[in-house]
């Protein structure tokens, strides 16, 4: 029986104007997405490879352990995700690298060690083009597909009621939930068909291009993203059915749905985010630099006071200098981490509050699985921090393994003089892991399912209890 | 007759559910967001004030003229609450200094600047109106004719001695009167909130008034689009679907799509390279003149002269972003006794080299400015032109210009900073600072900054902004007229 109703709904929909318009819209958007992506992605990859090669070449020119410790590995680059067409995730606003190595002060004959530096220059700060949303899957699904879902379901119950066909249907011995499920499935299938086709066309263009290689990992991520999209679609279909069965007339149903959609999809994320941003005030860049130089000055004056009458004991003086350099680098790293974590905490809070809006949830999910956006950036920064530790440990180990070295790290004369094989220096590799992304996405996934269950049961209750 | 028709339509519109719903949502959104926007504005003002204070004190600490580095801060525009435009973009902190002429792109940000905040899209009142007013217009219009035709009332009305144009006009006027209620009411509430916390000048009220007018034209445009659909279709269902998809396309899809597909970048790298070469030549010339002067004075490279002055001269071109620096910094506070014989040479040197620096930087600025305009402004202008194919683009451009947060508004500010730089340089000339001992040494007393000129900036007059916004406003009005004519034509020709 369900199948019967579904089929009827499907036939009704297939010949309707909205079906044609929706198909046209979805195809247009998905094809544009693919074309734009194919134009931009190779450039992005090329830039990344150039940058990384340059950094590695520079790294391999150094053989002295002290130089390696001072100059460090230079900037560290974030690998652009191959799935950027799914979710662009505001990557234009994010730095594609963590700087490092530029900040070495010079005092007398001492030089500071390399450490990472978190002043992200906003790559978009010179842009004066009008503000728009990037046309990625996140946009197509989050905004357009949800609107289509509403336009397909707003009259599914109330329309039948207006025409009187609902009474006819229910006069047969059909349980009400069967009717509801049939209608739900009918709408779902009739939207999924053009949507799936549009997605396939999009993927066909992208995967046949020689410029992009999609790995198995990428395909499984795409499958997950597609499932999330269908879940999200179900959410709005359920909302449509709920409102449609609560309201007597088509027009009222549509007005309520549209206004709900506008509030939750268009306005909620951008209104809630600035409200929440006021709750925490992270350290500004000015304060950060001020504190950094103050800490450095303090340490320096302490060192100068202690080193003053030590000219007679050169080895002791060297030890002190080494201690000074190492303390300085340690406190700079701590401060840098504090600076970044405060910024991240503010954004984290903003993101969690915007989760009231389903579009924010689905965009977070897409970003997690497409490997772009804020979560990914945070992961990247963590990777960099881990690598920086590894790098410092490598310097320590190299020094420790040299029996001739005086083991005073921080001064040129105090460190191993043996040339270092450039190939043994650890190399930064930025990688994604699906399990990590699943962990990051767990809350969002849970919330999405929760919303869906609530709306579906709401629609069920509303439909079971209505008068026809 | 027209009066009766209008009264009937007005009552029909006012007593509907959609009117109540639309009213509620508009008020809610506008008021809630105004509160948020005011809070945001106040934060920005606070960080602006902090920055001004820091820079004021920073200048007073400087002991010699040559080490002066002056910062000018851009205050947030109170009307950015209506249309934020570029107000939060580009930098708001500009370094003023005789060795460099800033362009729009040589700025930094003051204040707590979490760079990640950028990816939460910022909202303003015009954005709310863009979405809500257009939706309102279409929801009220889709069944204006088609509904009456379906119910058969259209036939009844036309049986009376009424002209068809009158019916259309009555519908239009009554719907507009109706829709103006939420628009005006929400704006009044927003203004009430605004006045309590932000001081507005009388000119600002004119600007806000013009923004209301633009909003009205925008609303009416969407109502007419809805009416066109309603006249052209036979059934309300079809009209509704068409209207909704048109809305989705014009508001949601088109503006984003056009920005994604159009990429009028051209070969930027090549342009950057030519500019860098040109600038490099100018900078080389400068270096040659400078060295020649020193040679004539009989001072060799690396001599005691350089050593004592700690002369840090750098004339370089940064190929990544077309920046070029010419710096002649020297920061000594005392002069050793054996240097006294050099003092007169040093004075002559700076008296020669600093005016040369000023001339050179101005030449460099001219070249850079043109290139940067080519690279950044051309793209943006292209986008804006294409965006105007959707009413959103016209409305956004008009209100941005009226609020003064558009590119021209920012340009005004940069012109002011450039003028200020000239004033500072004139001040130096008047004080004979370049040839003075205080230029490079502070041993005979630090520089007195008390008479130093202050930076002032007034936003341009309302009339200037209005003149800039006129083309877009005209465009909106013309679109309205054309649509109305079209509707009239179709309606008079159609069968009932």
């Amino acid at each position: 029986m369900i199948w019967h109703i579904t089929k009827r709904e499907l036939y009704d929909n297939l010949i309707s104007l909205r079906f044609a318009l929706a198909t046209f819209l979805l195809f247009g958007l998905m094809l544009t997405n693919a074309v734009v992506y194919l134009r931009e992605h190779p450039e992005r990859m090329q830039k990344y490879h150039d940058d990384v090669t340059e950094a590695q070449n520079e790294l391999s020119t150094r053989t002295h352990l002290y130089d390696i410790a001072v100059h460090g590995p230079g900037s560290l680059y974030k690998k652009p995700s191959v799935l950027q067409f799914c979710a662009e995730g505001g990557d234009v606003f994010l730095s594609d690298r963590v700087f490092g190595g530029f900040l070495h002060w010079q005092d007398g004959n001492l030089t500071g060690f390399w450490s990472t530096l978190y002043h992200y220059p906003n790559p978009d700060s010179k842009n004066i083009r009008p503000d728009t949303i990037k046309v990625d899957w996140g946009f197509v699904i989050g905004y357009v597909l949800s609107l289509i879902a509403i336009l397909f379901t707003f009259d599914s119950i109330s329309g039948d009621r207006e025409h009187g066909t609902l009474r006819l249907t229910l006069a047969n011995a059909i349980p009400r939930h069967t009717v509801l499920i049939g209608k739900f499935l009918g709408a779902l299938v009739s939207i999924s068909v053009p949507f799936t086709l549009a997605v396939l066309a999009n993927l066909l263009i992208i995967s046949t291009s020689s410029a992009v290689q999609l790995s198995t990992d990428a395909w499984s991520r795409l499958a997950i993203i597609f499932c999330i999209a269908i879940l999200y679609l179900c959410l709005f279909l359920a909302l449509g059915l709920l409102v449609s069965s609560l309201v007597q007339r088509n027009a009222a149903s549509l007005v309520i749905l549209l206004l709900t959609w506008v509030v939750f999809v268009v306005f909620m994320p951008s209104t809630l985010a600035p409200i929440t941003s006021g709750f925490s005030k992270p350290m500004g860049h000015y304060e950060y630099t001020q504190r950094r130089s103050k800490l450095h000055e303090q340490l320096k004056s302490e060192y100068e006071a202690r080193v003053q009458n030590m000219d007679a004991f050169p080895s002791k003086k060297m030890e002190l200098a080494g201690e000074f350099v190492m303390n300085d680098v340690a406190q700079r790293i701590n401060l840098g981490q504090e600076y970044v974590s405060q910024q991240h905490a503010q954004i984290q809070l903003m993101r969690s509050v915007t989760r009231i809006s389903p579009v924010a949830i689905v965009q977070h999910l897409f970003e997690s699985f497409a490997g772009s956006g804020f979560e990914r950036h945070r992961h990247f920064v963590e990777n960099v921090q881990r690598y920086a530790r590894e790098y410092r440990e490598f310097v320590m180990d190299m020094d420790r393994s040299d029996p001739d070295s005086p083991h005073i790290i921080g001064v040129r004369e105090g460190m191993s003089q043996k040339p270092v094989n450039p190939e043994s220096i650890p190399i930064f590799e930025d990688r994604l892991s699906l399990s990590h992304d699943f962990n990051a996405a767990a809350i969002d996934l849970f919330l999405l399912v929760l919303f869906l269950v609530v709306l579906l049961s709401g629609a069920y209750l509303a439909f079971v209890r209505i008068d026809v | 007759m027209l009066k009766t028709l209008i009264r009937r339509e007005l009552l029909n519109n006012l007593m509907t559910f959609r009117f109540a719903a639309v009213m509620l949502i508009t008020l809610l959104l506008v008021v809630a967001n105004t509160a948020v926007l005011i809070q945001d504005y106040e934060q920005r003002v606070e960080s602006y004030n902090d920055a001004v204070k820091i820079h004021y004190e920073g200048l007073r600490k400087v002991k010699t003229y040559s080490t002066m580095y002056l910062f000018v801060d851009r205050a947030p525009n109170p009307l950015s609450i209506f249309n934020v435009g570029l107000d939060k973009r580009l930098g708001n902190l500009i370094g003023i200094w005789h060795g460099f002429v800033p362009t729009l792109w040589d700025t930094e940000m003051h204040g707590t600047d979490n760079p990640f905040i950028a990816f939460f899209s910022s909202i303003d009142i015009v954005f709310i109106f863009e979405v809500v007013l257009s939706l309102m217009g279409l929801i009220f219009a889709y069944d204006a004719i088609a509904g009456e035709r379906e119910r058969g009332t259209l036939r009844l009305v036309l049986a009376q001695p009424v002209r068809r144009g009158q019916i259309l006009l009555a519908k239009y006027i009554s719907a507009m009167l109706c829709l103006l209620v939420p628009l005006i009411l929400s704006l009044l509430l927003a203004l009430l909130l605004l006045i309590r916390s932000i001081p507005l000048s009388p000119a600002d009220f004119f600007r806000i008034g013009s923004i209301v007018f633009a909003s009205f034209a925008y609303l009416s445009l969407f109502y007419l689009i809805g009416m066109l659909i309603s006249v052209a279709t036979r059934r309300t269902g079809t009209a509704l679907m068409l209207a909704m998809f048109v809305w989705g396309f014009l508001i949601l899809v088109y503006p984003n799509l056009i920005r994604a597909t159009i990429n009028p970048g051209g070969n930027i790298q090549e342009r950057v390279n030519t500019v860098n070469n040109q600038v490099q030549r100018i900078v080389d010339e400068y270096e040659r003149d400078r060295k020649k002067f020193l040679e004539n004075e009989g001072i060799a490279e690396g001599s005691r002269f350089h050593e004592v002055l700690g002369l840090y001269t750098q004339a370089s071109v940064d190929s990544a972003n077309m920046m070029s620096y010419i710096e002649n910094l020297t920061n000594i506070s005392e002069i050793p006794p054996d240097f006294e014989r050099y003092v007169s040479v040093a004075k002559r040197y700076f008296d020669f080299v600093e005016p040369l620096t000023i001339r050179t930087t101005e030449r460099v600025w001219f070249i850079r400015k043109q290139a940067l305009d080519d690279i950044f402004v051309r793209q943006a202008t292209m986008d804006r032109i294409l965006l105007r194919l959707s009413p959103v683009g016209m409305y956004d451009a008009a209100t941005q210009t009226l609020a003064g947060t558009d590119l021209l508004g920012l340009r005004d500010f940069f012109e002011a900073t450039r003028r200020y730089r000239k004033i500072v340089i004139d001040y130096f000339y008047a004080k004979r600072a370049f040839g003075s001992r205080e230029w490079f040494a502070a041993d005979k007393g630090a520089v007195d900054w008390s008479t130093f000129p202050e930076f002032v900036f007034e936003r341009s007059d309302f009339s200037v902004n209005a003149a800039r916004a006129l083309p877009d406003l005209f465009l909106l009005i013309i679109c309205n007229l054309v649509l109305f004519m079209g509707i009239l034509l179709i309606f008079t020709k159609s069968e009932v």
Side-chain angles (χ1 to χ4, degrees):
Chain A
M1 200 59 215
I2 291 181
W3 178 233
H4 195 75
I5 298 172
T6 308
K7 221 160 57 182
R8 195 194 90 189
E9 287 288 315
L10 201 57
Y11 290 155
D12 272 357
N13 277 332
L14 285 183
I15 50 161
S16 67
L17 174 72
R18 58 186 170 194
F19 182 78
L21 289 173
T23 312
F24 176 72
L25 210 57
L26 285 173
F27 265 90
L29 283 169
M30 279 304 197
L31 294 183
T32 317
N33 169 261
V35 172
V36 171
Y37 170 76
L38 285 181
R39 191 176 65 202
E40 286 174 355
H41 190 67
E43 281 172 28
R44 227 176 356 233
M45 282 316 272
Q46 191 57 45
K47 186 167 175 288
Y48 168 72
H49 284 306
D50 290 351
D51 287 344
V52 167
T53 329
E54 201 190 312
Q56 280 174 5
N57 283 344
E58 209 188 309
L59 195 61
S60 63
T61 55
R62 302 196 187 98
T63 51
H64 197 283
L65 191 61
Y66 180 74
D67 289 333
I68 289 172
V70 167
H71 293 284
S75 295
L76 302 166
Y77 295 90
K78 180 163 67 170
K79 193 175 177 187
S81 163
V82 78
L83 294 182
Q84 204 130 48
F85 59 95
C86 292
E88 197 264 348
D91 273 1
V92 282
F93 304 118
L94 294 176
S95 178
D96 59 347
R97 69 192 73 175
V98 167
F99 284 92
F102 292 108
L103 192 85
H104 43 82
W105 43 262
Q106 232 157 353
D107 275 348
N109 46 6
L110 290 178
T111 307
F113 268 21
W114 172 82
S115 70
T116 44
L117 188 64
Y118 305 96
H119 179 218
Y120 305 109
N122 180 351
D124 200 45
S125 63
K126 288 184 178 178
N127 180 16
I128 52 163
R129 299 177 75 179
D131 236 345
T132 47
I133 310 170
K134 192 93 177 167
V135 180
D136 51 12
W137 283 26
F139 169 76
V140 178
I141 291 157
Y143 290 82
V144 180
L145 195 70
S146 57
L147 184 65
I148 290 174
I150 283 175
L151 293 179
F152 269 70
T153 45
F154 80 98
D155 61 349
S156 57
I157 313 279
S158 58
D160 267 7
R161 192 162 17 187
E162 263 183 19
H163 296 156
T165 42
L166 188 61
R167 211 174 274 208
L168 279 180
T169 317
L170 289 179
N172 296 316
I174 311 170
R176 285 195 174 192
H177 63 86
T178 319
V179 178
L180 191 72
I181 294 171
K183 283 192 175 290
F184 180 77
L185 286 179
L188 181 61
V189 173
S190 43
I191 300 178
S192 323
V193 168
F195 173 63
T196 312
L197 288 179
V199 165
L200 286 179
N202 172 285
L203 288 177
L204 191 73
I205 294 179
I206 287 173
S207 59
T208 48
S209 152
S210 59
V212 182
Q213 263 92 40
L214 292 175
S215 60
T216 358
D217 179 61
W219 282 108
S220 54
R221 279 162 187 275
L222 279 173
I224 295 169
I225 287 175
F226 183 78
C227 293
I228 293 167
I230 296 294
L231 264 184
Y232 180 71
L233 174 62
C234 292
L235 184 83
F236 276 88
L237 292 178
L239 178 72
L241 285 176
L242 169 67
V243 174
S244 183
S245 43
L246 279 178
V247 175
Q248 295 290 333
R249 293 196 43 241
N250 268 344
S253 158
L254 183 70
V255 170
I256 292 180
L257 278 172
L258 274 180
L259 293 180
T260 319
W261 181 84
V262 162
V263 169
F264 274 88
V265 173
V266 182
F267 290 119
M268 207 65 121
S270 21
T271 311
L272 285 175
I275 295 180
T276 347
S277 76
F279 291 157
S280 68
K281 210 171 179 190
M283 201 191 301
H285 185 248
Y286 179 77
E287 196 191 337
Y288 168 60
T289 46
Q290 289 289 312
R291 269 177 71 177
R292 199 176 57 199
S293 56
K294 205 166 155 196
L295 280 175
H296 177 69
E297 289 302 319
Q298 263 173 10
L299 206 62
K300 195 173 131 188
S301 57
E302 211 174 286
Y303 163 72
E304 275 166 357
R306 280 175 64 188
V307 88
Q308 233 165 24
N309 35 26
M310 268 186 155
D311 284 336
F313 317 96
S315 70
K316 204 110 188 237
K317 190 178 169 189
M318 198 156 83
E319 234 168 79
L320 210 58
E323 198 185 312
F324 166 55
V325 171
M326 292 322 280
N327 280 343
D328 177 70
V329 80
Q331 72 185 16
R332 208 159 55 195
I333 289 167
N334 282 340
L335 185 67
Q337 273 175 0
E338 194 187 331
Y339 174 58
V340 172
S341 62
Q342 280 186 13
Q343 287 184 342
H344 286 182
Q346 187 185 28
I347 302 299
Q348 205 81 7
L349 189 68
M350 287 164 81
R351 278 167 64 93
S352 34
V353 173
T354 50
R355 284 199 177 104
I356 297 175
S357 155
V359 78
I361 294 179
V362 90
Q363 258 159 5
H364 292 178
L365 283 170
F366 278 20
E367 283 170 14
S368 314
F369 287 110
S372 61
F374 175 71
E375 272 302 326
R376 160 93 171 94
H377 190 81
R378 226 168 56 108
H379 191 199
F380 164 68
V381 171
E382 274 166 20
N383 279 345
V384 166
Q385 283 169 353
R386 191 179 319 120
Y387 170 72
R389 266 198 304 279
E390 259 172 43
Y391 189 85
R392 278 190 289 275
E393 267 159 27
F394 165 78
V395 172
M396 297 288 197
D397 285 348
M398 286 311 280
D399 187 65
R400 223 172 280 141
S401 67
D402 180 12
D404 302 334
S405 158
H407 301 307
I408 299 175
I409 305 209
V411 222
R412 183 177 279 273
E413 296 76 29
M415 286 171 73
S416 164
Q417 306 292 324
K418 265 206 305 204
V420 179
N421 179 12
E423 275 165 29
S424 62
I425 304 173
I427 283 173
F428 178 65
E429 207 184 331
D430 182 33
R431 51 178 112 69
L432 292 167
S433 84
L434 196 54
S435 63
H436 177 277
D437 293 338
F438 254 116
N439 282 336
I443 298 177
D444 289 309
L445 216 51
F446 171 74
L447 276 177
L448 191 66
V449 173
L450 186 74
F451 275 140
L452 178 62
V453 170
V454 167
L455 283 177
L456 271 179
S457 40
Y460 175 73
L461 284 178
F463 187 62
V464 166
R465 297 178 60 99
I466 56 167
D467 294 318
V468 182
Chain B
M1 195 63 203
L2 193 65
K3 245 186 196 163
T4 340
L5 279 172
I6 290 178
R7 197 181 303 135
R8 178 195 129 196
E9 291 292 331
L10 207 56
L11 283 175
N12 271 349
N13 277 331
L14 279 177
M15 303 302 288
T16 49
F17 169 73
R18 57 186 170 196
F19 180 74
V22 156
M23 183 88 178
L24 184 77
I25 289 294
T26 322
L27 286 183
L28 208 70
L29 280 176
V30 171
V31 171
N33 278 298
T34 311
V36 174
L37 286 165
I38 288 174
Q39 184 204 342
D40 176 62
Y41 173 77
E42 278 172 345
Q43 263 175 22
R44 279 158 61 209
V45 169
E46 196 185 314
S47 74
Y48 163 75
N49 287 336
D50 286 351
V52 169
K53 209 172 126 219
I54 289 170
H55 297 146
Y56 183 84
E57 283 165 4
L59 179 67
R60 264 72 192 164
K61 277 186 205 144
V62 173
K63 291 204 178 101
T64 58
Y65 282 118
S66 61
T67 43
M68 176 205 80
Y69 206 108
L70 200 58
F71 287 100
V72 163
D73 299 280
R74 179 160 59 84
N77 185 339
L79 291 185
S80 63
I81 287 174
F82 286 90
N83 193 334
V84 70
L86 297 172
D87 204 45
K88 286 202 225 173
R89 291 239 226 119
L90 292 174
N92 47 20
L93 172 58
I94 300 122
I96 301 285
W97 166 49
H98 72 282
F100 186 69
V101 192
T103 67
L104 246 65
W105 288 273
D106 308 314
T107 53
E108 284 178 52
M109 279 286 189
H110 63 224
T112 47
D113 41 356
N114 189 343
F116 300 113
I117 287 201
F119 55 65
F120 291 95
S121 54
S122 55
I123 202 171
D124 47 45
I125 292 179
V126 163
F127 175 70
I128 299 174
F129 282 161
E130 269 170 21
V131 177
V132 175
L133 291 187
S134 53
L135 205 57
M136 257 162 56
L138 289 176
I139 288 180
F140 272 76
Y142 79 95
D143 61 350
I145 310 290
E148 294 228 26
R149 201 177 317 198
E150 236 178 32
R151 272 176 267 131
T153 44
L154 189 61
R155 217 174 269 210
L156 279 178
V157 175
L158 286 179
Q160 311 284 329
V162 206
R163 305 245 305 270
R164 291 197 179 190
Q166 272 183 332
I167 297 178
L168 283 184
L169 205 63
K171 280 193 182 291
Y172 175 77
I173 291 173
S174 58
M176 279 296 113
L177 282 177
C178 233
L179 289 173
L180 269 182
V181 177
L183 172 66
I184 300 290
L185 213 60
S186 59
L187 265 177
L188 278 181
L189 282 177
L191 264 183
L192 222 65
L193 281 175
L194 264 180
I195 294 169
R196 275 183 42 206
S197 39
I198 300 172
L200 293 174
S201 67
D204 285 339
F205 284 100
F206 280 112
R207 288 166 206 267
I208 294 171
S210 319
I211 290 175
V212 174
F213 176 74
S215 309
F216 173 73
Y218 175 75
L219 172 65
S220 135
L221 188 56
F222 268 92
Y223 184 78
L224 289 174
I225 292 176
M227 211 150 158
L228 181 69
I229 294 171
S230 186
V231 168
T233 50
R234 302 221 71 92
R235 292 190 42 232
T236 43
T238 326
L240 184 62
M241 272 307 132
L242 264 179
M244 286 301 105
F245 275 95
V246 165
W247 181 81
F249 184 75
L250 286 182
I251 305 288
L252 205 57
V253 175
Y254 179 76
N256 298 320
L257 201 64
I258 207 70
R259 165 80 160 77
T261 41
I262 301 300
N263 190 8
N267 198 341
I268 292 179
Q269 200 49 50
E270 212 169 89
R271 185 85 171 97
V272 170
N273 288 343
T274 29
V275 170
N276 280 337
N277 287 338
Q278 280 173 322
V279 172
Q280 189 69 57
R281 264 201 301 280
I282 296 176
V283 167
D284 288 346
E285 212 175 286
Y286 168 82
E287 276 293 86
R288 218 172 30 245
D289 288 352
R290 195 177 69 84
K291 293 225 171 90
K292 207 191 278 167
F293 179 85
L294 283 176
E295 236 169 67
N296 289 344
E297 293 285 344
I299 291 165
E301 194 72 40
S303 68
R304 181 83 179 132
F305 180 79
H306 287 82
E307 192 190 321
V308 173
L309 277 184
L311 193 59
Y312 168 75
T313 301
Q314 193 186 6
S316 65
V317 180
D318 183 343
S319 52
N321 50 5
M322 292 197 278
M323 291 281 268
S324 75
Y325 306 90
I326 299 181
E327 295 182 61
N328 292 294
L329 292 186
T330 167
N331 190 14
I332 50 175
S333 46
E334 277 173 58
I335 285 174
D338 70 317
F339 190 75
E340 266 319 320
R341 67 196 170 90
Y342 277 125
V343 165
S344 59
V345 184
K347 279 182 180 173
R348 274 206 303 283
Y349 169 70
F350 286 116
D351 205 22
F352 167 77
V353 97
E354 299 301 353
L356 182 68
T357 308
I358 293 166
R359 280 197 301 278
T360 311
T361 49
E362 258 148 32
R363 279 169 71 196
V364 169
W365 170 78
F366 191 68
I367 294 168
R368 287 185 64 230
K369 178 189 172 288
Q370 280 183 336
L372 285 165
D373 276 2
D374 272 0
I375 292 170
F376 293 112
V377 178
R378 209 182 47 203
Q379 275 185 354
T381 326
M382 181 88 168
D383 285 339
R384 289 247 169 254
I385 290 171
L386 284 170
L387 267 182
R388 287 200 175 87
L389 289 179
S390 157
V392 176
M394 301 178 215
Y395 177 53
D396 194 44
T399 47
Q400 216 173 75
T401 322
L402 285 170
T405 53
D406 60 335
L407 187 59
L408 291 173
L410 275 189
R411 279 249 156 94
D412 288 346
F413 179 78
F414 274 84
E415 282 307 311
T417 59
R418 245 159 46 77
R419 276 199 302 277
Y420 179 56
R421 180 176 167 273
K422 285 232 173 69
I423 292 173
V424 169
I425 289 171
D426 287 344
Y427 174 81
F428 281 168
Y429 276 127
K431 285 248 164 190
R432 301 185 175 284
F434 299 130
S436 71
R437 192 190 181 96
E438 288 86 46
W439 185 261
F440 55 91
D443 53 349
K444 299 248 170 97
V447 174
D448 173 25
W449 296 104
S450 58
T451 54
F452 196 72
E454 297 269 335
F455 175 72
V456 275
F457 172 65
E458 289 281 324
R459 274 180 289 142
S460 55
D461 266 352
F462 166 66
S463 56
V464 177
N465 285 105
R468 285 174 188 164
L470 265 187
D472 280 307
L473 286 176
F474 264 129
L475 208 61
L476 270 176
I477 294 168
I478 288 171
C479 287
N480 270 305
L481 287 177
V482 168
L483 266 177
F484 195 82
M485 292 298 163
I487 294 166
L488 197 64
L489 224 68
I490 296 176
F491 189 53
T492 39
K493 293 265 175 196
S494 71
E495 284 174 40
V496 183

